[in-house]
Amino acid sequence: MNREMRLRIMGKVCLLTFVLTAAAAALAAPPPPADIRVQFQGPATAAVYSPYVYTATVRNIGNQRADNVRLIVDLPKTNTSPQQFILGTLAGYNTTKCSIVSLKLQCDLGRINQNQQQVITFNLALPISSQTLKLKATASTTSNEPNQSNNMVELTPTLGYPTVEITSANVLNSHCTGTGLTSYFECEKFPSS
């Protein structure tokens, strides 16, 4: 066997060894981790005191299941002191999965397999307010999830006010003198303010 032939055979052996080593490494590597993504939908404009449906969708777009998935929705809060309340009327959420914890809607979603999702809906009626009212949905998992950039999303609905034209009426004017309040809703919580 001449030298040229030996080099060709050695080159093929080296190439075959490289291919087999790469294949073995690919088989031994763990599959890509779980990756949960949150999408949050609601009205762009919310007429005050009207209930609207808000929908949070938590989907596992990764390649492993996500365990102990939790969704937390931060809701607007009153500027009252010492107690705070949810600024608005919350209703219609799944009480089996969700509860109110520290003025936030907290939902325990359990396990979400790859390409599966959990959907949480709730109704919220926002009051007249001088502050910008934001809602934030954040999901978490106890599974390995290196990419957390898609675990949080915010909604900032614009408040819509009805146009009321009064031609003739007896009107009761009420007000409160609370300090630092941003909504009459807060005065309704504490009528003596």
Short mmCIF file of all heavy atoms in Angstrom, two decimals, residues 107-142:
data_model
loop_
_atom_site.label_atom_id
_atom_site.label_comp_id
_atom_site.label_asym_id
_atom_site.label_seq_id
_atom_site.Cartn_x
_atom_site.Cartn_y
_atom_site.Cartn_z
N CYS A 107 -52.23 32.54 40.25
CA CYS A 107 -52.82 31.32 39.72
C CYS A 107 -51.76 30.23 39.65
O CYS A 107 -50.72 30.41 39.02
CB CYS A 107 -53.40 31.57 38.33
SG CYS A 107 -54.61 32.91 38.28
N ASP A 108 -52.03 29.11 40.29
CA ASP A 108 -51.15 27.96 40.26
C ASP A 108 -51.61 27.05 39.12
O ASP A 108 -52.70 26.46 39.19
CB ASP A 108 -51.14 27.23 41.60
CG ASP A 108 -50.52 28.09 42.70
OD1 ASP A 108 -49.49 28.73 42.42
OD2 ASP A 108 -51.07 28.13 43.81
N LEU A 109 -50.79 26.95 38.08
CA LEU A 109 -51.18 26.24 36.86
C LEU A 109 -50.64 24.83 36.79
O LEU A 109 -50.95 24.08 35.86
CB LEU A 109 -50.71 27.04 35.64
CG LEU A 109 -51.17 28.51 35.60
CD1 LEU A 109 -50.64 29.20 34.36
CD2 LEU A 109 -52.69 28.60 35.66
N GLY A 110 -49.78 24.44 37.73
CA GLY A 110 -49.25 23.07 37.75
C GLY A 110 -48.26 22.84 36.63
O GLY A 110 -47.45 23.69 36.29
N ARG A 111 -48.36 21.66 36.00
CA ARG A 111 -47.43 21.26 34.94
C ARG A 111 -47.99 21.67 33.59
O ARG A 111 -49.17 21.48 33.31
CB ARG A 111 -47.27 19.74 34.98
CG ARG A 111 -46.45 19.18 33.85
CD ARG A 111 -46.43 17.67 33.88
NE ARG A 111 -45.75 17.22 35.09
CZ ARG A 111 -45.81 15.99 35.56
NH1 ARG A 111 -46.54 15.08 34.94
NH2 ARG A 111 -45.16 15.65 36.64
N ILE A 112 -47.11 22.22 32.74
CA ILE A 112 -47.48 22.51 31.35
C ILE A 112 -46.47 21.79 30.46
O ILE A 112 -45.28 22.11 30.48
CB ILE A 112 -47.49 24.02 31.04
CG1 ILE A 112 -48.48 24.75 31.96
CG2 ILE A 112 -47.86 24.25 29.58
CD1 ILE A 112 -48.54 26.25 31.75
N ASN A 113 -46.94 20.80 29.72
CA ASN A 113 -46.07 20.05 28.81
C ASN A 113 -45.69 20.90 27.61
O ASN A 113 -46.30 21.94 27.36
CB ASN A 113 -46.76 18.76 28.35
CG ASN A 113 -46.92 17.77 29.48
OD1 ASN A 113 -46.05 17.63 30.33
ND2 ASN A 113 -48.04 17.08 29.52
N GLN A 114 -44.68 20.45 26.86
CA GLN A 114 -44.25 21.21 25.69
C GLN A 114 -45.41 21.35 24.71
O GLN A 114 -46.23 20.45 24.55
CB GLN A 114 -43.03 20.57 25.04
CG GLN A 114 -43.29 19.23 24.37
CD GLN A 114 -42.03 18.65 23.78
OE1 GLN A 114 -41.29 17.98 24.47
NE2 GLN A 114 -41.80 18.89 22.52
N ASN A 115 -45.50 22.53 24.09
CA ASN A 115 -46.54 22.89 23.13
C ASN A 115 -47.94 22.85 23.72
O ASN A 115 -48.91 22.72 22.98
CB ASN A 115 -46.46 22.01 21.87
CG ASN A 115 -45.16 22.20 21.13
OD1 ASN A 115 -44.70 23.33 20.98
ND2 ASN A 115 -44.54 21.13 20.71
N GLN A 116 -48.05 22.95 25.04
CA GLN A 116 -49.35 23.03 25.70
C GLN A 116 -49.46 24.41 26.36
O GLN A 116 -48.48 25.11 26.54
CB GLN A 116 -49.51 21.92 26.75
CG GLN A 116 -49.43 20.52 26.17
CD GLN A 116 -50.57 20.24 25.20
OE1 GLN A 116 -51.72 20.47 25.51
NE2 GLN A 116 -50.22 19.75 24.02
N GLN A 117 -50.69 24.77 26.74
CA GLN A 117 -50.91 26.07 27.35
C GLN A 117 -52.01 26.01 28.38
O GLN A 117 -52.81 25.08 28.40
CB GLN A 117 -51.25 27.13 26.29
CG GLN A 117 -52.59 26.88 25.60
CD GLN A 117 -52.85 27.86 24.48
OE1 GLN A 117 -51.92 28.41 23.89
NE2 GLN A 117 -54.11 28.09 24.16
N GLN A 118 -52.03 27.01 29.25
CA GLN A 118 -53.10 27.24 30.22
C GLN A 118 -53.59 28.67 29.99
O GLN A 118 -52.79 29.58 29.77
CB GLN A 118 -52.58 27.11 31.64
CG GLN A 118 -52.18 25.72 32.04
CD GLN A 118 -53.34 24.96 32.67
OE1 GLN A 118 -54.36 25.52 33.02
NE2 GLN A 118 -53.16 23.66 32.79
N VAL A 119 -54.92 28.84 30.03
CA VAL A 119 -55.52 30.16 29.81
C VAL A 119 -56.29 30.57 31.06
O VAL A 119 -57.09 29.81 31.59
CB VAL A 119 -56.47 30.13 28.59
CG1 VAL A 119 -57.12 31.49 28.38
CG2 VAL A 119 -55.70 29.71 27.33
N ILE A 120 -56.02 31.78 31.52
CA ILE A 120 -56.72 32.35 32.67
C ILE A 120 -57.43 33.62 32.22
O ILE A 120 -56.83 34.48 31.57
CB ILE A 120 -55.72 32.70 33.81
CG1 ILE A 120 -55.06 31.43 34.35
CG2 ILE A 120 -56.42 33.47 34.92
CD1 ILE A 120 -55.98 30.44 35.03
N THR A 121 -58.72 33.72 32.55
CA THR A 121 -59.48 34.93 32.24
C THR A 121 -60.04 35.52 33.53
O THR A 121 -60.26 34.79 34.51
CB THR A 121 -60.64 34.65 31.26
OG1 THR A 121 -61.52 33.70 31.86
CG2 THR A 121 -60.14 34.11 29.94
N PHE A 122 -60.25 36.81 33.51
CA PHE A 122 -60.90 37.48 34.64
C PHE A 122 -61.55 38.76 34.13
O PHE A 122 -61.22 39.25 33.05
CB PHE A 122 -59.91 37.79 35.78
CG PHE A 122 -58.76 38.68 35.39
CD1 PHE A 122 -58.85 40.05 35.54
CD2 PHE A 122 -57.59 38.14 34.88
CE1 PHE A 122 -57.79 40.88 35.19
CE2 PHE A 122 -56.52 38.95 34.54
CZ PHE A 122 -56.62 40.33 34.69
N ASN A 123 -62.50 39.26 34.89
CA ASN A 123 -63.18 40.51 34.56
C ASN A 123 -62.68 41.59 35.50
O ASN A 123 -62.51 41.35 36.70
CB ASN A 123 -64.70 40.38 34.74
CG ASN A 123 -65.29 39.34 33.80
OD1 ASN A 123 -64.85 39.21 32.67
ND2 ASN A 123 -66.26 38.60 34.28
N LEU A 124 -62.45 42.76 34.94
CA LEU A 124 -62.01 43.89 35.75
C LEU A 124 -62.69 45.16 35.25
O LEU A 124 -62.65 45.45 34.05
CB LEU A 124 -60.48 44.05 35.67
CG LEU A 124 -59.87 45.17 36.51
CD1 LEU A 124 -60.10 44.94 38.01
CD2 LEU A 124 -58.39 45.30 36.22
N ALA A 125 -63.34 45.87 36.18
CA ALA A 125 -63.93 47.17 35.87
C ALA A 125 -63.06 48.22 36.54
O ALA A 125 -62.89 48.20 37.77
CB ALA A 125 -65.36 47.24 36.38
N LEU A 126 -62.49 49.10 35.76
CA LEU A 126 -61.60 50.14 36.28
C LEU A 126 -62.39 51.42 36.56
O LEU A 126 -63.29 51.77 35.80
CB LEU A 126 -60.47 50.42 35.29
CG LEU A 126 -59.54 49.24 35.02
CD1 LEU A 126 -58.62 49.54 33.85
CD2 LEU A 126 -58.73 48.90 36.26
N PRO A 127 -62.04 52.13 37.63
CA PRO A 127 -62.75 53.37 37.96
C PRO A 127 -62.09 54.59 37.31
O PRO A 127 -61.00 54.50 36.76
CB PRO A 127 -62.61 53.44 39.48
CG PRO A 127 -61.26 52.84 39.73
CD PRO A 127 -61.11 51.75 38.70
N ILE A 128 -62.75 55.71 37.45
CA ILE A 128 -62.15 56.99 37.07
C ILE A 128 -60.89 57.17 37.91
O ILE A 128 -60.90 56.93 39.11
CB ILE A 128 -63.14 58.15 37.34
CG1 ILE A 128 -64.37 58.01 36.43
CG2 ILE A 128 -62.47 59.50 37.17
CD1 ILE A 128 -65.50 58.95 36.78
N SER A 129 -59.81 57.57 37.27
CA SER A 129 -58.56 57.73 38.00
C SER A 129 -57.66 58.72 37.28
O SER A 129 -57.66 58.79 36.06
CB SER A 129 -57.84 56.38 38.12
OG SER A 129 -56.62 56.53 38.80
N SER A 130 -56.90 59.45 38.06
CA SER A 130 -55.95 60.39 37.47
C SER A 130 -54.60 59.73 37.21
O SER A 130 -53.73 60.32 36.58
CB SER A 130 -55.76 61.61 38.38
OG SER A 130 -55.20 61.21 39.63
N GLN A 131 -54.39 58.50 37.71
CA GLN A 131 -53.12 57.81 37.47
C GLN A 131 -53.23 56.86 36.27
O GLN A 131 -54.32 56.47 35.87
CB GLN A 131 -52.67 57.04 38.72
CG GLN A 131 -53.57 55.88 39.11
CD GLN A 131 -53.03 55.11 40.29
OE1 GLN A 131 -51.85 54.81 40.35
NE2 GLN A 131 -53.90 54.79 41.23
N THR A 132 -52.10 56.52 35.70
CA THR A 132 -52.06 55.53 34.62
C THR A 132 -52.20 54.16 35.26
O THR A 132 -51.45 53.81 36.17
CB THR A 132 -50.73 55.62 33.86
OG1 THR A 132 -50.61 56.94 33.30
CG2 THR A 132 -50.66 54.60 32.74
N LEU A 133 -53.18 53.39 34.81
CA LEU A 133 -53.45 52.09 35.42
C LEU A 133 -52.83 50.99 34.57
O LEU A 133 -53.16 50.82 33.40
CB LEU A 133 -54.97 51.87 35.55
CG LEU A 133 -55.70 52.95 36.35
CD1 LEU A 133 -57.18 52.62 36.47
CD2 LEU A 133 -55.08 53.13 37.73
N LYS A 134 -51.88 50.25 35.18
CA LYS A 134 -51.17 49.18 34.48
C LYS A 134 -51.54 47.85 35.09
O LYS A 134 -51.77 47.74 36.29
CB LYS A 134 -49.66 49.36 34.59
CG LYS A 134 -49.11 50.51 33.79
CD LYS A 134 -47.60 50.54 33.86
CE LYS A 134 -47.08 51.71 33.05
NZ LYS A 134 -45.64 51.77 33.03
N LEU A 135 -51.55 46.83 34.25
CA LEU A 135 -51.69 45.45 34.68
C LEU A 135 -50.47 44.71 34.15
O LEU A 135 -50.05 44.95 33.00
CB LEU A 135 -52.96 44.81 34.12
CG LEU A 135 -54.29 45.37 34.65
CD1 LEU A 135 -54.75 46.52 33.79
CD2 LEU A 135 -55.32 44.28 34.64
N LYS A 136 -49.90 43.83 34.96
CA LYS A 136 -48.71 43.09 34.54
C LYS A 136 -48.91 41.62 34.83
O LYS A 136 -49.28 41.24 35.94
CB LYS A 136 -47.48 43.62 35.28
CG LYS A 136 -46.18 42.90 34.92
CD LYS A 136 -44.97 43.56 35.54
CE LYS A 136 -44.88 43.27 37.01
NZ LYS A 136 -43.60 43.68 37.62
N ALA A 137 -48.68 40.77 33.81
CA ALA A 137 -48.78 39.32 33.97
C ALA A 137 -47.37 38.73 33.91
O ALA A 137 -46.63 38.98 32.96
CB ALA A 137 -49.65 38.72 32.87
N THR A 138 -47.03 37.93 34.94
CA THR A 138 -45.71 37.31 35.02
C THR A 138 -45.87 35.83 35.32
O THR A 138 -46.61 35.47 36.22
CB THR A 138 -44.87 37.95 36.15
OG1 THR A 138 -44.85 39.37 35.97
CG2 THR A 138 -43.45 37.43 36.16
N ALA A 139 -45.18 34.99 34.56
CA ALA A 139 -45.22 33.55 34.79
C ALA A 139 -43.85 33.06 35.26
O ALA A 139 -42.82 33.64 34.90
CB ALA A 139 -45.62 32.80 33.52
N SER A 140 -43.86 31.99 36.05
CA SER A 140 -42.61 31.39 36.52
C SER A 140 -42.79 29.88 36.60
O SER A 140 -43.91 29.37 36.62
CB SER A 140 -42.23 31.95 37.90
OG SER A 140 -43.23 31.62 38.85
N THR A 141 -41.67 29.18 36.64
CA THR A 141 -41.67 27.72 36.77
C THR A 141 -40.48 27.32 37.63
O THR A 141 -39.48 28.04 37.68
CB THR A 141 -41.59 27.02 35.39
OG1 THR A 141 -41.54 25.61 35.59
CG2 THR A 141 -40.39 27.45 34.59
N THR A 142 -40.60 26.16 38.28
CA THR A 142 -39.46 25.64 39.04
C THR A 142 -38.53 24.83 38.15
O THR A 142 -37.46 24.42 38.59
CB THR A 142 -39.93 24.78 40.23
OG1 THR A 142 -40.75 23.71 39.72
CG2 THR A 142 -40.71 25.60 41.23
#
